[in-house]
Amino acid sequence: MLQQKIIRCNSLIEEVQANKERKEGNDNAAKRNNRFFDAFNNFLIPILSSIKVIKSLPEFSFSGELNANLKRYIEVTQAALTTKVIVNPEGYHTALSKLYSEFKNCWETITKTYNESLLSEIAILRLVKSDTLEISQITRCINNIQNWPVKDDAVTLYKAARDKGEELLSEMKFDEEIKEFLQKVKDKQASLLDLSDKILNWIKSEQFEYKFLLTVR
């Protein structure tokens, strides 16, 4: 009788242990899956969606190395989703996090560099345009394209802002001498020596006399 109880007890212990091991196995699998899909949703999907959106901006492109690394992890992801086997989810997460940061840094650099000249010229419009709110909106929309991941509405606003900024600049008919003068005014470095006949004639023709004041330093 006692022997049967011992056997029965051992059997229950083994069953409980087996259930515990199965649960731990399921928990570990869930953790691996969560880590994989966390990287997939937070890093890979934003990269792919951004690349899709900026196809309408052919002036921007990423390096061959970045694109090759992206292709590699797309293939890794496709294999995992097809086989339903997650291999080294921590390594996958770390690699995609790094790739996301590389795309982000590259995007911020290339967009800032590309728009720097236009933004510098738009900034001097504040000196001669009465509607500075419009200038602020144009500047903000152009700067916002640097944000990563890139959203579709940001691209739409960016393209419209660049077009409007270039239109305003063309209306002002700035040549290089006028741009240089206005840049000096903006930087508070202009002097009477900068008031050439051409600059004075331009100020009078645009009726900007009231916008420029003399100071002594």
Side-chain angles (χ1 to χ4, degrees):
M1 192 73 171
L2 179 59
Q3 185 66 27
Q4 290 178 344
K5 288 184 178 182
I6 292 173
I7 293 172
R8 176 60 179 164
C9 182
N10 286 337
S11 177
L12 289 172
I13 291 173
E14 290 174 359
E15 184 177 348
V16 169
Q17 183 61 32
N19 288 336
K20 180 181 178 182
E21 290 174 355
R22 280 196 295 271
K23 182 179 183 304
E24 289 176 349
N26 291 335
D27 288 345
N28 289 334
K31 288 178 181 179
R32 289 196 300 273
N33 290 341
N34 288 340
R35 198 61 172 160
F36 173 87
F37 283 107
D38 179 66
F40 177 80
N41 290 319
N42 292 325
F43 302 132
L44 185 58
I45 291 300
I47 292 174
L48 294 177
S49 63
S50 295
I51 289 176
K52 180 180 178 181
V53 165
I54 63 177
K55 281 184 178 179
S56 62
L57 300 173
E59 61 268 34
F60 300 120
S61 61
F62 296 106
S63 69
E65 181 180 358
L66 272 180
N67 287 326
N69 286 337
L70 175 60
K71 180 180 178 182
R72 175 189 172 195
Y73 281 98
I74 289 175
E75 293 172 350
V76 170
T77 303
Q78 289 175 332
L81 294 175
T82 300
T83 62
K84 298 182 181 179
V85 175
I86 310 301
V87 179
N88 191 13
E90 192 60 42
Y92 176 85
H93 190 282
T94 299
L96 276 186
S97 174
K98 181 174 181 291
L99 187 63
Y100 178 92
S101 295
E102 289 172 345
F103 268 97
K104 180 176 183 292
N105 293 336
C106 179
W107 179 249
E108 289 174 351
T109 299
I110 61 178
T111 51
K112 181 179 180 180
T113 301
Y114 183 82
N115 291 312
E116 189 172 16
S117 176
L118 177 61
L119 286 172
S120 178
E121 293 186 13
I122 289 175
I124 65 177
L125 287 175
R126 292 178 182 274
L127 302 173
V128 294
K129 293 289 289 184
S130 57
D131 188 358
T132 57
L133 177 59
E134 182 180 35
I135 304 301
S136 296
Q137 291 173 336
I138 290 171
T139 301
R140 183 172 62 255
C141 290
I142 292 176
N143 281 325
N144 282 347
I145 199 62
Q146 296 178 33
N147 296 334
W148 183 269
V150 187
K151 305 298 183 182
D152 187 63
D153 58 343
V155 171
T156 300
L157 292 172
Y158 165 77
K159 292 164 74 173
R162 269 199 68 100
D163 289 344
K164 187 61 178 178
E166 291 172 348
E167 178 186 334
L168 291 177
L169 287 168
S170 66
E171 289 175 356
M172 298 310 300
K173 299 177 182 178
F174 293 153
D175 62 15
E176 289 306 315
E177 185 176 349
I178 295 173
K179 287 179 184 178
E180 183 179 354
F181 168 72
L182 290 175
Q183 188 63 51
K184 285 184 177 181
V185 172
K186 176 178 173 292
D187 297 336
K188 298 181 180 180
Q189 294 177 351
S191 70
L192 289 175
L193 295 175
D194 296 302
L195 293 174
S196 65
D197 290 341
K198 183 175 184 178
I199 296 297
L200 288 171
N201 290 333
W202 174 77
I203 291 174
K204 291 176 181 179
S205 66
E206 297 292 337
Q207 298 180 344
F208 288 153
E209 293 94 334
Y210 70 96
K211 286 184 173 291
F212 295 96
L213 302 175
L214 295 176
T215 61
V216 178
R217 61 184 178 186

